Amino acid sequence: MSARSNSIDLNKRTIILSALIVLTAAVIIGNAWICDDIYITLRTVDNFVNGYGLRWNIGERVQGFTHPLWLALITPFYYVTREGYFTILFISLGLTLATVGMVLFRMSRTIIAAVLGTAILLLSKAFVDYSSSGLETPLSYSLVALFYYVYLRWPDDRRKLFFLSLLTSLGALNRPDLVLFFLPAWGYQIVRHYSMRNIATVVLGFVPLIGWEIFSVAYYGMPFPNTYYAKLHTGIGGLDLARQGVSYFVDSITTDPLTLITIILTCLIIAVGGNLRQRMLPAGIVLNLIYVIRIGGCFMSGRYFAVPLLASVVLILMLAENKVKPHWRSVLIGLLVVTSLGRFGIYLARSEASEGLDDPRGIIDEKTFYYQYTGLLNASLDDDWPAHRWVNEGRAARRLMIKHGSGLISKGAIGMYGYFAGPDLHIVDLHALNDPLLARLPTTKERQWRIGHFDRYLPHGYLETIDTDRNVLVDSNLATFYDHLKPLVRGDIFDLQRWIDIWNVNSGKYDSLIAEYARPITNVSYGSINVPVEQGIYWRSPGHIVLSYAGLSIEFEALQHATQLEVSVDHNDVYRLEFYHQSQLIGRTFFKPSVLAKGGMRVLTVDIPQEAASGGFDMIKILPVEGDDYYSI
């Protein structure tokens, strides 16, 4: 009777857990969608399977993706299907369900715990939204769950240390910041079992990451992805980014309270009730959350909380179940009830989903924005899909490339457009994710920057430099820097001089050239440029100052109270004038000259803001805001 009872209980458990997985599949399929960013990766994959190499623009070796492991997983499937949309969704769904299945069958101790864990996952907007989307998140789910399982359930031996090291290295390859989840626990394991033999085991586990880094330096000329330089070297202050990061947390609490509250509660429960070994896991989650604040969060609402939420559910099932006191259980259940009100309505088929509205902080609900164009329940095998205008624009560009052979364009939204435009169009990415030079220039801070979208100005002559493969950059410092950067991305891989440039560029030898380019021209006296010019004269005539995006500072010997300023600038751009008194900003104004039919310099009179005229100013800054990227004064 006892054996039969155990068999019945086992069958009951299997049926219930299988039903939970089916429910998970239904919710994820009903919400499946694709974002624009995955098509940046797919363009590289498409170029690779068609023989152009791991490149986004086929003329340059640039790593425009942060997830080599995700790309490696996608590539063989894409090679067979030669189709991106359904292939990505199939892989994402398979990985997410495999992870949930492992969590429920291998990590949950009771049916009640499994139901609680599944409810948390399916009521989390972040988890459901980013179980598809095309991003590397489903693979991150799998790596985190595997790491936690090995760390908590395997015996302490060299085999365990090897697999923890292997999973840490694979995490770095899937997304570098994923290492933060593993770092405390992995470090604890190394320290606790330190020996030279075990260090060799750790190194062996890191062979995938070491191998990729060797390839990256040899092929791309850089140890980090181009996105590292584009997003983390913007010139935006750390305090500004931290404020934006806090706003990202506030957005999550507002739109998806279950997710962040569950993460925080779980970390607190394990911190209070767990032992030192167990506390290493929530410590990794906290490290990741601190990092999210440090980088300013993301423009995709909830994206960076999806993996911490999955990690928290694993901890609830493996550890917190026996440590949660009755009043904490009441809190968790109450939280589920409150957040479930109105939540399931969101998870029904959303064929009429709206585009969504921009948040003032630059954070939006990406799924709502894209669902009507890329939602799986809206997809049709008979029509062109996805049905986004960027797809249509890309296809139109591809037809032009077939007609003309090749082309060049500068653009911001590059994912769908770039993939469907095909390999013959070289796209200069204004967000710098795939451009090696722009990624090293400070962002256009005088514009309203948005997190994750750090625009750069095109340096004078850059498009011509790319188009002709001849360095015609106007700024001499930038031209010199590009002469050393170009061999890394365009030169012969085995050329000795290229390897010298690889060392010099990555060691910062030429960083001063970028700093000089980005620094405004200071100590220019008013008298040195107080020379009227004829309207329509060529913009680069002798005596003119060519402006970079950093602008120009003009100093006066005495305090000025003028109400108007006559200025001669290139005719078809927008400029900003800032007025200072003892280095304090006291007024600003914008002006846009009317376009001259034959081009050249436009002479115009600008009204000085009343606060600057009345209080007096001793310095002016003039900064280009937008235009054709050819500016002079």
Side-chain angles (χ1 to χ4, degrees), residues 76-77 108 117 124 135 164 176 193 229 276 307 313 358 380 389 393 395 416 521 532 597 621:
F77 289 92
S108 61
S124 166
L135 301 172
L164 291 180
H193 302 283
Y229 307 97
L276 180 61
V307 177
V313 169
D358 275 297
S380 171
R389 63 182 176 86
E393 291 170 1
R395 288 189 171 122
M416 296 178 190
I521 304 171
K621 286 186 180 179

Side-chain angles (χ1 to χ4, degrees), residues 212-288:
W212 173 260
E213 285 302 310
I214 293 172
F215 169 80
S216 180
V217 171
Y219 187 72
Y220 295 114
M222 302 161 201
F224 306 117
N226 199 65
T227 51
Y228 165 82
Y229 307 97
K231 289 189 174 184
L232 298 184
H233 293 79
T234 60
I236 296 173
L239 186 59
D240 290 334
L241 288 175
R243 290 195 191 101
Q244 180 66 27
V246 171
S247 295
Y248 191 65
F249 278 68
V250 172
D251 171 81
S252 178
I253 287 291
T254 304
T255 62
D256 185 22
L258 173 68
T259 296
L260 198 52
I261 294 176
T262 299
I263 294 169
I264 295 171
L265 279 178
T266 304
C267 291
L268 288 174
I269 290 168
I270 305 301
V272 172
N275 56 40
L276 180 61
R277 182 176 72 95
Q278 294 167 345
R279 289 169 182 163
M280 293 298 104
L281 295 176
I285 296 176
V286 172
L287 273 181
N288 179 264

Side-chain angles (χ1 to χ4, degrees), residues 411-432:
K411 202 174 188 307
I414 60 170
M416 296 178 190
Y417 179 90
Y419 172 78
F420 287 99
D424 294 321
L425 179 64
H426 187 107
I427 304 174
V428 176
D429 177 10
L430 294 179
H431 293 151

Side-chain angles (χ1 to χ4, degrees), residues 109 147-148 151-153 160 181 184-185 188-189 192 266-267 269-285 311 315 318-323:
R109 298 179 184 275
F147 184 95
Y148 281 22
Y151 181 75
L152 292 173
R153 294 285 172 85
K160 175 177 180 177
F181 283 95
Y188 173 84
Q189 197 72 19
R192 189 180 177 194
T266 304
C267 291
I269 290 168
I270 305 301
V272 172
N275 56 40
L276 180 61
R277 182 176 72 95
Q278 294 167 345
R279 289 169 182 163
M280 293 298 104
L281 295 176
I285 296 176
L315 288 178
M318 297 188 74
L319 294 177
E321 180 184 347
N322 297 325
K323 303 178 185 301

